[in-house]
């Protein structure tokens, strides 16, 4: 997951609020406009798993699930049209997350996770992908095993933040655990594939600056698995870490 700087709420949200009272009432035109506005902030990459969304904005289907309510509608009905509560997500993540939110009917999950790791403590939120002043950016909650592509909570976090990251990975299934690691659709494999693509591209170039530019391009937040690519580059080329910050 990476951090996304959000733009101000689009003007048309006020008229939507004046016309409709809940999400299910929105017509197709309204849904398409909302999705288009989100793409301007997020690109067409899922904010949670960072894979390219398979239903890009041109999709005629306004119900393609690329709009996710970060705080789900069933738990937070008053946030049905809160601009900052709407994020761009892929179908896989949207379905994995569903209507869950920490703190609701989750005694068993807490028990399970604290059984797996005694650091885990009860949490009441997921990692927020929006940049919020004074809060740890989403990207800093996570680290990667660059050999396998697996995501895990960063060791730099305090216990509460570590637990929030652990819970987010678990509930949104950011390692796609339901699929085997040899399955081509597995998120680990997709991260590794994107990195191989980058290596192939830079190996074809002789010019150092051109190589750096390609690396930079792969690390842009609107590119698939940019957080993983950044972790790999900083791990493999430590001196370049200073160039990329
Ligand atoms: Zn996703």
């Amino acid at each position: 997951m990476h951090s996304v700087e959000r733009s101000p709420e689009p003007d048309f949200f006020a008229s939507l609020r004046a016309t409709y009272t809940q999400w299910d009432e929105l017509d197709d035109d309204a849904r398409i406009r909302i999705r288009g506005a989100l793409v301007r902030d997020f690109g067409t990459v899922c904010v949670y798993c960072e894979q390219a969304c398979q239903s890009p904005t041109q999709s005629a289907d306004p119900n393609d699930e690329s709009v996710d309510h970060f705080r789900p509608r069933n738990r937070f009905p008053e946030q049905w049209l809160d601009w900052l509560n709407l994020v761009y997500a892929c179908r896989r993540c949207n379905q994995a997350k569903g209507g869950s939110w920490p703190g609701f009917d989750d005694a068993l999950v807490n028990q399970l996770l604290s059984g797996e790791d005694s650091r885990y403590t009860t949490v009441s939120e997921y990692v927020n992908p929006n940049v919020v002043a004074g809060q740890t950016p989403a990207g800093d909650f996570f680290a990667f095993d660059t050999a396998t592509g697996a995501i895990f909570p960063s060791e730099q976090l305090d216990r509460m933040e570590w637990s929030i990251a652990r819970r987010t990975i678990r509930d949104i299934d950011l390692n796609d655990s339901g699929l085997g690691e040899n399955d081509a659709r597995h998120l680990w494999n997709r991260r590794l594939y994107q990195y191989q693509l980058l290596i192939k591209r830079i190996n074809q170039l002789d010019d150092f600056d051109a190589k750096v530019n390609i690396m930079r391009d792969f690390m842009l937040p609107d590119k698939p698995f940019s957080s993983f690519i950044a972790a790999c580059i900083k791990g493999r080329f430590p001196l370049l870490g200073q160039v990329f910050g």
Side-chain angles (χ1 to χ4, degrees), residues 13 27 33 63 81 83 96 105 136 188 191 197 214 232:
F13 270 53
D27 62 20
R33 286 183 80 189
N63 300 306
L81 196 64
W83 171 237
D105 313 321
T136 305
W188 297 12
R191 290 181 191 123
L197 207 65
I214 296 282
C232 287

Side-chain angles (χ1 to χ4, degrees), residues 46-51 89-94:
C46 171
V47 74
Y48 299 121
C49 72
E50 301 182 69
Q51 67 182 328
C90 73
R91 182 178 294 256
R92 196 210 67 84
C93 287
N94 218 332

Side-chain angles (χ1 to χ4, degrees), residues 13 38-39 48 69 127 135-136 164 194 196 205 207 221 243:
F13 270 53
L38 285 174
V39 167
Y48 299 121
H69 286 79
V127 176
Q135 285 186 17
T136 305
I164 291 171
Q194 191 68 11
Q196 283 162 8
L205 298 166
D207 182 60
V243 176

